[in-house]
Amino acid sequence: MLFQKLSFCAAAAALALVASPAGATIFYANYDPSDTTATNVGVGLPLTRRTPDASQTFDVAASSSTYCANVYCSFFYGDTITTSFTVDTSFDASYLIVPVAASSPYGNRRSGFNIERLDGDTWVGLGFMQIESGLVPGGPFEVQVPFGNSSGSAFSPAPIHFDAGSTYRIRTNHAAGAAGYLSWYLSDTVAGPGQSYQYSSAPGVAGPLAYQPAFALTDGGDLTFLTRGGVPEPAGWALMIAGFLGTGAMMRAHRRATAPA
């Protein structure tokens, strides 16, 4: 009976670690995305939109990033929000998740998010995504946007590889369209010196950010079953290994006890 119980416990531990519910893996985040129902919107520029759940309190935003001043966008402030980070493991990410709000009184406009890697003293572009104001009216919304490259209304998604020990940054930029703005909400993670910054030609809004803009990198999927990382935690591995070792010891003892004299 004890042998059967140990075998069952070991199998259950392995099953819990290996056969967890299918869902998105968050590789890097400074906030927890909401698990509310997602709405898929957009055609040429795909985007998944979620309404923040009760646990999220997005009330502080970097002011008017990528602001454009008139109907033809012939003049716009050079608002750019950047935040840099260093990853401690290698992974491939297909999507960026950010909480944003957008407005455009004269028609649709696009704001971009660039992902860049620091090579020596140079930031090298790896990919980007665009958000249309018409897809996130008002807000804030949490949007999940694929990495890729676009030409006109065509979009070609492409995952980005992140190398352990390398430094990356996310940067907003004006893309196209009429007057309006996009605001990127801040997380509750304190920004380190020089880590997060707002640049602008509009007086009084440029300078370092006290908190990092909220973002997550993910392989996509249903965030209802949110997991953290692509492998079990060390404690989980220890539990599984201990279970297998215990089962093996019991099997050997069981064989010795039942072997003919």
Side-chain angles (χ1 to χ4, degrees), residues 1-4 6-7 246-260:
M1 179 65 71
L2 180 59
F3 166 72
Q4 291 177 334
L6 285 172
S7 297
T247 301
M250 288 303 299
M251 290 178 65
R252 289 192 295 273
H254 180 73
R255 284 197 296 269
R256 285 197 297 271
T258 57

Side-chain angles (χ1 to χ4, degrees), residues 85 115-126 161-169:
F85 56 97
I115 186 77
E116 302 168 338
R117 183 184 67 242
L118 183 61
D119 286 351
D121 296 327
T122 304
W123 290 101
V124 178
L126 302 178
H161 181 73
F162 292 80
D163 290 309
S166 293
T167 299
Y168 300 85
R169 75 177 180 183

Side-chain angles (χ1 to χ4, degrees), residues 13 47 63 84 98 103 118 126 130 144 157 163 167 185 206 222 229-230 232:
L47 179 147
S63 57
S84 60
V98 287
S103 174
L118 183 61
L126 302 178
Q130 294 185 46
Q144 180 172 311
D163 290 309
T167 299
Y185 285 83
D222 188 353

